Amino acid sequence: AAEASLVMFIGEPEFIAIAKEKGLLHTPRPLTHELYLDILSHTDLEILSVAIHEVKDQTYLARVNYRINGVEGTADSRPSDAIALALHQKIPILANPDLLKKPLSSDQLDTLKDFIRSVKF
């Protein structure tokens, strides 16, 4: 399978949630998705996967796929929330192949890294 990428810009809270799940930082208190997952852990809910499925008005759309009481369902989600959730639960992150782009060149990657370093939170 060829490598591909999906680049999206996210806000600070979303970045913090994903960075925490990747082990890049720690927070003294649970983040919102962790609170919800803790509460939901006392139910029959099983989160199966997340899917980034569409772009609408230059915004990625995602869904969380779950099963509760044996019935499967989906819930709309911001992609950044879905990714943090998937990383926390260690479940698949799926992406519509039509949304994937060719791997970034080293020049494109350097430009993106420079841009990221310039962002102030």
Side-chain angles (χ1 to χ4, degrees):
E3 288 187 25
S5 64
L6 193 148
V7 175
M8 69 179 78
F9 294 95
I10 59 175
E12 182 181 8
E14 296 82 10
F15 170 80
I16 289 170
I18 292 170
K20 183 175 182 184
E21 294 303 339
K22 294 292 290 176
L24 300 174
L25 59 87
H26 301 282
T27 59
R29 298 178 298 157
L31 298 177
T32 304
H33 72 281
E34 294 169 313
L35 166 65
Y36 295 155
L37 287 171
D38 184 41
I39 293 167
L40 291 170
S41 71
H42 303 286
T43 70
D44 190 33
L45 176 74
E46 178 185 6
I47 302 172
L48 305 172
S49 64
V50 302
I52 301 169
H53 63 89
E54 183 180 357
V55 172
K56 187 174 184 179
D57 298 326
Q58 300 180 342
T59 301
Y60 288 104
L61 304 178
R63 289 191 183 110
V64 175
N65 303 305
Y66 63 88
R67 181 175 25 242
I68 188 162
N69 298 323
V71 178
E72 291 191 13
T74 62
D76 290 335
S77 174
R78 295 184 304 177
S80 53
D81 293 336
I83 290 168
L85 182 67
L87 292 171
H88 186 87
Q89 296 295 98
K90 297 176 178 48
I91 58 172
I93 300 170
L94 311 172
N96 179 338
D98 293 340
L99 302 179
L100 300 178
K101 309 293 183 213
K102 293 179 185 176
L104 298 175
S105 70
S106 60
D107 286 345
Q108 290 171 318
L109 195 53
D110 288 343
T111 300
L112 185 59
K113 286 179 182 177
D114 288 343
F115 173 76
I116 291 168
R117 284 187 197 105
S118 73
V119 175
K120 304 290 184 227
F121 290 109

